[in-house]
Amino acid sequence: MLFRKEFKKIFRSLTYLIFCVLVIVMFATQYFQDCNNREYPPSKYDDYGYKVVEDHDIIMSSAANALTGEYLTNRYVCYPFGFYKAVHLNEKEQSKILKYVMEISGLDSDGIAELQKNATLFNFDRGYSEYEVEDVPVSQTMNYERFIEIMADVDDILGGGSDYAPDGLVYKFSRVPMTYEDALEEYDKLFKDDHITGAYARLFADYTGIVLGIMPVFVAAALMTADRRRRMNELIYSRSVSSLKLVFTRYAALMFTMFIPVLLTMIAAFIQLLNVYSGEKMDMTVMFTLPTFWLVPNIMFASAIGMALSEIFSAGFAILFQFVFWFAGILTGPAALYGETGKFTFICRHNTLGHRDVFMLFQDNFIFSRIFYMVISLAIVAFTAFIYEMKRGGRFNGIRLFGKDSIFRRKA
């Protein structure tokens, strides 16, 4: 009875209608148009892109070149929390990087000076220069375990988000150009390993996840403030139903209603595949199971934030918070677009039908991130129920950031 009432309230709201429209528009304009034609074997003499080979020698050599060039320039490109940042180190930090470069390469200070002398210097219009260094040697005494330790410390010195983070080393520094044979093997994986639907399920989740990372907060915030706008707080707070049951029922209603347009677009995507790849053998379940596991945490977390922060502060604050979190999540480098996923990545990306190996390389991180956001979402909802109970008992009335009774005005 309570679930039905909450479901109807959400289903008939304007914010939910807008949510449905945006999910369908994203699907129609991005995924549906991109996938309207089947994939064919590569032709010879094309540019086939790159592949990840996970070769330790290539990783150490490429990373040594990159680190040496950035050391000589004292300009390290990082993406902390998804935002671009050029890091410049002080003298003490630079000396630590130099020590690591010398340990990796086996060169002394004179050898590093010789590398700088032979390096290519690029001058950019934006007022800075960069050294490009090639053929930095790797010491014969350097093993991969020690190399990983060094890279982890370098990433820590740079404040995180650098190319030297151990989780991303394989993808960033072991990419080599694809040959025609490699491209043909990649094409074969679409049928043999992904059974067609696996690749398309990843691409579907990539596009849909962008919308589901932000729009549920609007629906959740609107639901939590609807009773306040209709002056029904006193009635709700006096009902016999427990705060825990009320809040989790609302949360379940949010999950159920917002998954409806996602499920419908999944069905449409699968019907499209049946038409495009008519007669081909497919794994029917993957088109539904993978996107569900991929996307439900997005809905759960954005909705939980909308509920909790609307109760504590306001709907506007909840939307602003989630927008900043979402915006940081989509500001990813090119590596993340093709499947590089961290343990705490909120919006997982895989904007290609290929590169299955990259996705599998970060599969453990992907699974961890999805479970993490599901668990943290449930914890946030439980906390929201606690806030609700405090409001019922008159022990808490929320925190106003602006207006007559705002905390800033009280301090003044």
Side-chain angles (χ1 to χ4, degrees):
M1 186 69 171
L2 181 59
F3 178 86
R4 189 184 306 166
K5 284 185 177 180
E6 297 298 328
F7 171 79
K8 287 181 179 179
K9 195 186 301 181
I10 299 166
F11 197 77
R12 294 170 180 173
S13 68
L14 178 61
T15 49
Y16 177 68
L17 176 61
I18 295 172
F19 167 81
C20 292
V21 169
L22 288 176
V23 170
I24 293 169
V25 167
M26 174 63 87
F27 169 74
T29 60
Q30 301 299 315
Y31 174 86
F32 195 83
Q33 287 188 359
D34 282 359
C35 303
N36 218 16
N37 297 300
R38 67 171 292 153
E39 294 291 300
Y40 290 97
S43 57
K44 287 192 174 182
Y45 311 114
D46 278 350
D47 180 7
Y48 308 115
Y50 61 86
K51 67 174 181 176
V52 176
V53 295
E54 200 172 354
D55 185 298
H56 291 177
D57 291 334
I58 294 176
I59 294 170
M60 290 193 289
S61 177
S62 299
N65 289 339
L67 182 60
T68 304
E70 292 195 317
Y71 161 74
L72 295 175
T73 311
N74 192 12
R75 186 176 184 277
Y76 303 84
V77 175
C78 301
Y79 289 88
F81 307 108
F83 292 96
Y84 170 86
K85 182 181 180 182
V87 176
H88 301 277
L89 301 180
N90 59 37
E91 187 175 342
K92 182 179 179 181
E93 292 167 332
Q94 274 286 82
S95 66
K96 288 188 71 174
I97 299 295
L98 174 59
K99 187 184 82 170
Y100 284 142
V101 170
M102 292 170 66
E103 182 179 351
I104 293 170
S105 64
L107 299 175
D108 56 16
S109 56
D110 292 335
I112 301 299
E114 187 67 22
L115 284 177
Q116 183 173 6
K117 181 181 177 181
N118 296 325
T120 304
L121 181 63
F122 293 96
N123 295 302
F124 295 93
D125 295 336
R126 287 171 285 180
Y128 67 88
S129 302
E130 283 186 1
Y131 281 100
E132 184 177 292
V133 184
E134 296 181 353
D135 301 324
V136 175
V138 176
S139 172
Q140 292 184 350
T141 60
M142 176 59 56
N143 59 62
Y144 194 67
E145 289 73 23
R146 173 57 184 158
F147 178 79
I148 290 293
E149 291 176 2
I150 292 174
M151 292 295 102
D153 198 30
V154 168
D155 183 63
D156 187 55
I157 292 170
L158 297 176
S162 74
D163 287 349
Y164 311 107
D167 286 349
L169 283 173
V170 173
Y171 182 83
K172 290 183 175 73
F173 296 114
S174 68
R175 289 177 290 175
V176 297
M178 270 191 181
T179 63
Y180 170 73
E181 289 73 21
D182 294 330
L184 197 59
E185 182 181 349
E186 181 85 358
Y187 172 78
D188 289 338
K189 288 179 182 177
L190 175 65
F191 297 88
K192 294 179 181 178
D193 297 333
D194 276 326
H195 305 291
I196 301 174
T197 49
Y200 284 88
R202 291 193 296 269
L203 188 61
F204 171 87
D206 172 80
Y207 284 129
T208 310
I210 296 173
V211 176
L212 298 185
I214 181 64
M215 286 309 298
V217 73
F218 288 90
V219 183
L223 176 65
M224 298 303 285
T225 57
D227 298 320
R228 198 179 307 159
R229 291 195 304 268
R230 295 167 187 165
R231 302 184 182 277
M232 294 179 65
N233 274 345
E234 292 183 9
L235 178 61
I236 290 176
Y237 293 155
S238 64
R239 283 179 177 172
S240 58
V241 61
S242 70
S243 298
L244 195 67
K245 181 178 180 181
L246 176 61
V247 170
F248 270 94
T249 300
R250 283 188 165 180
Y251 188 60
L254 281 167
M255 295 300 99
F256 184 79
T257 50
M258 284 192 278
F259 193 69
I260 291 173
V262 179
L263 179 60
L264 292 176
T265 52
M266 280 187 207
I267 294 171
F270 184 65
I271 292 172
Q272 182 191 35
L273 280 182
L274 290 176
N275 180 54
V276 172
Y277 288 93
S278 178
E280 298 285 355
K281 184 179 179 181
M282 300 184 198
D283 186 343
M284 296 178 62
T285 59
V286 175
M287 196 65 205
F288 299 94
T289 55
L290 179 59
T292 297
F293 183 67
W294 189 312
L295 299 173
V296 164
N298 290 25
I299 303 175
M300 290 180 68
F301 184 77
S303 299
I305 290 295
M307 293 178 71
L309 297 187
S310 294
E311 277 301 308
I312 299 171
F313 299 103
S314 66
F317 182 82
I319 292 168
L320 178 62
F321 178 92
Q322 185 60 25
F323 175 80
V324 172
F325 192 76
W326 169 81
F327 191 68
I330 62 173
L331 283 180
T332 55
L337 283 175
Y338 298 112
E340 182 186 353
T341 304
K343 286 186 175 179
F344 302 103
T345 299
F346 175 51
I347 301 177
C348 300
R349 304 296 310 273
H350 197 90
N351 195 244
T352 176
L353 292 174
H355 292 280
R356 181 182 189 273
D357 291 344
V358 177
F359 179 78
M360 298 306 295
L361 185 65
F362 294 95
Q363 187 181 40
D364 289 345
N365 285 354
F366 170 76
I367 294 172
F368 182 92
S369 74
R370 298 302 84 194
I371 295 174
F372 172 79
Y373 281 104
M374 284 191 277
V375 172
I376 200 71
S377 298
L378 293 174
I380 292 171
V381 176
F383 178 70
T384 306
F386 172 72
I387 296 298
Y388 228 91
E389 184 63 27
M390 289 185 68
K391 282 189 169 185
R392 273 179 157 175
R395 291 168 290 167
F396 181 69
N397 293 315
I399 301 172
R400 290 178 63 88
L401 299 177
F402 304 100
K404 183 179 178 181
D405 299 319
S406 73
I407 56 174
F408 301 112
R409 182 162 293 191
R410 270 185 243 137
K411 286 181 180 179

